[in-house]
């Protein structure tokens, strides 16, 4: 699923000007990619936060006035250490014909049986790193965890991907465990 966000180019600003930009409801960002120049932009903060709350997965189409749109993936975001407010976002530009390395978010569905026995769900990893052409990348990896018993662990190797997707994360890395408190 692709999300559309209106973006505007920006110039390098001093910290005080960046604070003013954030106060006006805009979020500073940068777009980088292979064989392209880095581009400093700003986007609507509220629209981006809505996308984050919806799961923050899939491609984003950055639309510019008078310029072609850019298809990007969220690479990183920085938050204020005290207020947790968004400070800056990094986007990776997607080249449709080049293999892309990214992290696919993991979504867990259901409540494990082990929690009824007093177990607690511990999430160790919220994303799996993969490589593939953009058209083969899933937006999210879903697991049904309702059958998990106390003491069971879900690993990266339990995820299934299309044959065109190469998993970079170690197969024995834990995604989720149901443990005794």
């Amino acid at each position: 699923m692709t999300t559309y966000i209106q973006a505007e180019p920006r110039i390098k600003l001093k910290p005080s000007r960046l604070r003013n930009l954030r106060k006006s409801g805009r979020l500073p960002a940068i777009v980088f990619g292979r064989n392209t120049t880095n581009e400093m932009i700003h986007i609507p903060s509220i629209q981006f936060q809505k996308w984050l709350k919806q799961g923050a997965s899939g491609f984003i189409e950055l639309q510019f006035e008078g310029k072609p749109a850019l298809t990007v993936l969220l690479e990183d975001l920085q938050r204020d250490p005290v207020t947790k407010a968004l400070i800056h976002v990094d986007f990776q530009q997607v080249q449709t014909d080049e293999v892309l390395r990214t992290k696919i978010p993991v979504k867990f569905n259901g409540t494990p049986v082990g929690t009824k026995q007093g177990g607690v769900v511990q999430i160790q990893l919220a994303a799996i790193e993969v490589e593939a052409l953009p058209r083969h990348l899933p937006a999210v990896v879903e697991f049904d965890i309702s059958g998990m018993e106390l003491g069971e662990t879900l690993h990266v190797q339990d995820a299934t991907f299309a044959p065109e997707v190469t998993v970079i994360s170690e197969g024995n890395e834990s995604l989720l465990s149901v443990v005794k408190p």
Side-chain angles (χ1 to χ4, degrees):
M1 188 174 103
T2 303
T3 301
Y4 298 92
I5 296 180
Q6 195 64 38
E8 295 177 26
R10 70 175 170 91
I11 57 171
K12 189 172 177 81
L13 298 172
K14 294 181 180 178
S16 62
R17 300 282 306 269
L18 285 171
R19 272 192 296 279
N20 291 340
L21 185 68
R22 287 185 203 100
K23 283 181 184 175
S24 72
R26 305 296 291 181
L27 183 62
I30 191 159
V31 177
F32 65 89
R34 191 177 296 159
N35 303 325
T36 63
T37 57
N38 294 353
E39 190 170 349
M40 292 187 290
I41 62 169
H42 57 90
I43 59 174
S45 192
I46 291 173
Q47 189 178 5
F48 182 73
Q49 287 179 6
K50 283 181 185 175
W51 178 78
L52 282 177
K53 286 180 184 171
Q54 292 172 352
S57 64
F59 296 107
I60 297 174
E61 188 91 13
L62 296 175
Q63 299 177 319
F64 296 89
E65 192 172 310
K67 287 175 56 179
L70 293 176
T71 304
V72 297
L73 281 171
L74 174 64
E75 183 64 28
D76 192 24
L77 51 89
Q78 293 90 42
R79 293 184 181 271
D80 183 283
V82 176
T83 65
K84 303 295 183 217
L86 285 170
I87 296 174
H88 191 272
V89 181
D90 295 346
F91 293 114
Q92 182 177 359
Q93 186 172 352
V94 175
Q95 307 290 340
T96 56
D97 59 341
E98 287 186 21
V99 172
L100 182 69
R101 179 181 274 197
T102 188
K103 292 179 181 168
I104 305 296
V106 179
K107 182 178 178 186
F108 303 106
N109 299 319
T111 305
V113 175
T115 58
K116 293 181 177 105
Q117 303 160 348
V120 177
V121 175
Q122 285 186 341
I123 298 175
Q124 283 90 13
L125 203 59
I128 299 174
E129 190 170 9
V130 298
E131 261 185 357
L133 288 171
R135 67 180 168 269
H136 298 298
L137 288 173
V140 68
V141 179
E142 293 193 44
F143 288 98
D144 179 14
I145 60 171
S146 56
M148 289 182 70
E149 299 282 341
L150 193 61
E152 286 188 336
T153 302
L154 193 61
H155 296 93
V156 169
Q157 64 199 14
D158 298 324
T160 54
F161 291 97
E164 300 86 6
V165 177
T166 305
V167 178
I168 304 299
S169 297
E170 292 293 324
N172 61 356
E173 280 187 81
S174 297
L175 295 171
L176 177 137
S177 300
V178 181
V179 297
K180 289 183 182 178

